[in-house]
Structure formats: C-alpha cells, structure tokens
Amino acid sequence: MFDLNLVFQYKAYLLTFLLVLIRVTSIVSFVPVVNHPAFPIMVKVVINLFIALMLTPLLIEKGILFDTKLLDSPLTLALGISNEIFFGFVVTLWIRFFFTAAVFAGDMIGTVGGFAMAHIFDPTAGQSVIIGRFLLIVMLMLFVIGGFVNMMIFALYMSFFKYPPFHCQVNSSLLWLLIEKFNQSFSLGFQIASPIIIMVLIFNISLALVARIMPQMNVFFVAIPVQLSIVLLFFALIIPYMMEIMYDTLKGEIHLLIKFLSPP
C-alpha cells in the first residue's frame, strides 16, 4: 500500500530540484567563463546538474519547496520558467558589463598605440584588437583564480531566500541599476587604458616638437616603430596596475551582487 503523503513529498522534492536547476542554468549559462561558445556543452550540463544537486538539499532543509498547485496552470508554469530565465540573464549581465570594459580598454590601447591594423578574427567575438582579447583573458583568469566563482554560487544560493522560485522580479530599479553599471563599465575601461593614452599623447606632442626642430627628419618613418615599442614596454610595466583594478572591481561588484540577492 502506497503512502500518498510520501509520494506527494517526493514529487515536491523532484519539482523543487527542477526549479533550482532552471535558475542555476539561467545564471550559470550566462557566467562569463561558461557562456563562451567554445566551452563544451556536456561540461555545462554537468556543472548545472552538480550545482543544482548541491543546492537542492540545502534549500529543502531551509523550507523552500515547490508549490505543486502551480502545476494546475500550465500558463503560470510557462511564465514562471520564462521569468526565471530572464532574471538569470539580467543578473549575470551585471558582471558581464565589466568584462566588456576590459575588451573596451584593450581596443582603446590598441587603437592609440598603433595596433589598429593588427586585428585578429575570433569566430566567437568577431574582429578585435589583440590587446583587448589579452585583457579579457586576464580578467577571466582573475575571475576563476580569485574565488569569484564560489561567490557567484553563494549569491545564487542566497537568491532563493529573497526571490523564491517563480517570484523573481525584474523591476525598474533593477533595470536602472544595470544602466548605472553599464556607465561604470565605460569608466572602468577608460581608467584601465588612461595611462597608455596619456603616454601616447605625450609621445606625439614630443614628436611634433622634434619635427619642428628637425624638419629634415622623416618623423613618420621613425614614429611608428618607436611608438609600438614604447607602448609594448609601458603596457608590460603597468599590467600589475591593470590587474589590481580588475580584481578590485570584480570583488566589489560581486559583493554588491551578493548583497542585492540576499534577504534584508
């Protein structure tokens, strides 16, 4: 003889796992490292399943269970799943803005430094300056090595207490916050690239003075190789400064994200 209460309880556990899996997939799939098209799909599936299996018992222990009454309305269920996916995309967009800032800074450095013609073609991102791709890889390494992946999982766990399943809210305050973060990402890009931009400006002014003092000198023939050499040397010297800015930015923004997703 079957115990119906036990059957309904296991049904609620299974549905809770599926809901947790939906939110985990919607957030993890858009995380900067995992969302790369070159990242193996099977590895993405395993990561999502592992995180969902890890979080589900912890959430059930805290009393977060799926309301089986929602199954009576397929439309409500579909809207809830769509809302979960959109919520995950919006939350990860917060962090992705600052990875875009690294590419933006590298493109500015490459353009002012004379690397505009040295484009590489990446099927996943189109054409970009080599320095931009290099800074993006550096920021991805900081994201993984700095323990920010664990912090993102913790933020995902805390989000279930402030926004239970099917109760995610993408309101105007969150959208205005994203606009603010978008503006901050541009400021971060200028902050990273500003030392080299100022150095190139000083070099060009000096070159103009040399051209006035020595008109017989072929400035354009000398300027390009000298400028490339100086930019590469200066770039190598200030990489620790850039990495410090990237690390502090990631640390501050993910702490803000955890605070935003945690209950008051």
Side-chain angles (χ1 to χ4, degrees):
M1 184 175 180
F2 292 101
D3 187 350
L4 292 179
N5 292 329
L6 187 61
V7 172
F8 285 127
Q9 185 179 12
Y10 279 116
K11 183 180 180 180
Y13 288 168
L14 178 60
L15 293 174
T16 301
F17 166 73
L18 292 177
L19 272 184
V20 172
L21 180 62
I22 290 172
R23 183 174 297 187
V24 167
T25 304
S26 65
I27 291 181
V28 173
S29 298
F30 294 111
V31 169
V33 179
V34 182
N35 79 316
H36 197 282
F39 202 87
I41 297 179
M42 289 304 299
V43 178
K44 294 181 182 179
V45 173
V46 171
I47 290 175
N48 291 328
L49 287 173
F50 176 77
I51 296 176
L53 286 171
M54 179 179 62
L55 294 181
T56 301
L58 299 176
L59 295 171
I60 292 176
E61 184 181 358
K62 297 293 185 179
I64 296 179
L65 281 174
F66 180 78
D67 186 4
T68 55
K69 294 180 181 179
L70 291 174
L71 292 176
D72 298 334
S73 176
L75 179 60
T76 304
L77 187 64
L79 290 175
I81 293 175
S82 302
N83 195 26
E84 289 280 342
I85 296 174
F86 183 65
F87 178 77
F89 172 74
V90 170
V91 167
T92 50
L93 196 62
W94 184 336
I95 303 300
R96 288 175 58 85
F97 281 149
F98 295 94
F99 285 85
T100 306
V103 180
F104 175 63
D107 289 346
M108 283 194 298
I109 293 172
T111 301
V112 302
F115 293 92
M117 298 301 296
H119 279 47
I120 59 174
F121 182 76
D122 185 350
T124 62
Q127 287 188 340
S128 61
V129 179
I130 296 177
I131 297 180
R133 301 299 295 169
F134 174 76
L135 289 180
L136 177 61
I137 293 173
V138 170
M139 201 163 190
L140 289 173
M141 290 177 60
L142 291 174
F143 183 76
V144 175
I145 298 174
F148 299 119
V149 175
N150 298 335
M151 296 172 67
M152 286 291 295
I153 295 175
F154 178 72
L156 175 60
Y157 169 72
M158 296 302 296
S159 69
F160 285 96
F161 298 100
K162 186 174 183 179
Y163 302 105
F166 285 8
H167 290 81
C168 300
Q169 295 180 354
V170 182
N171 49 30
S172 59
S173 61
L174 178 58
L175 295 178
W176 279 111
L177 182 63
L178 286 179
I179 294 175
E180 180 184 352
K181 296 303 175 183
F182 180 73
N183 294 333
Q184 290 179 4
S185 66
F186 274 98
S187 300
L188 175 65
F190 279 109
Q191 184 180 0
I192 294 174
S194 58
I196 291 184
I197 293 176
I198 294 173
M199 186 273 299
V200 171
L201 178 62
I202 295 174
F203 173 77
N204 288 330
I205 293 174
S206 303
L207 203 63
L209 294 176
V210 171
R212 295 290 294 177
I213 296 174
M214 302 174 59
Q216 68 276 13
M217 180 180 177
N218 192 342
V219 175
F220 294 102
F221 182 77
V222 178
I224 295 178
V226 174
Q227 179 174 327
L228 291 175
S229 302
I230 292 177
V231 168
L232 287 175
L233 177 62
F234 195 66
F235 179 72
L237 292 175
I238 66 170
I239 281 181
Y241 160 79
M242 295 180 177
M243 292 178 66
E244 183 178 359
I245 293 178
M246 294 177 186
Y247 180 84
D248 292 340
T249 300
L250 284 175
K251 184 177 179 181
E253 292 304 322
I254 292 183
H255 276 296
L256 287 176
L257 181 62
I258 293 174
K259 184 178 179 181
F260 175 79
L261 293 177
S262 301

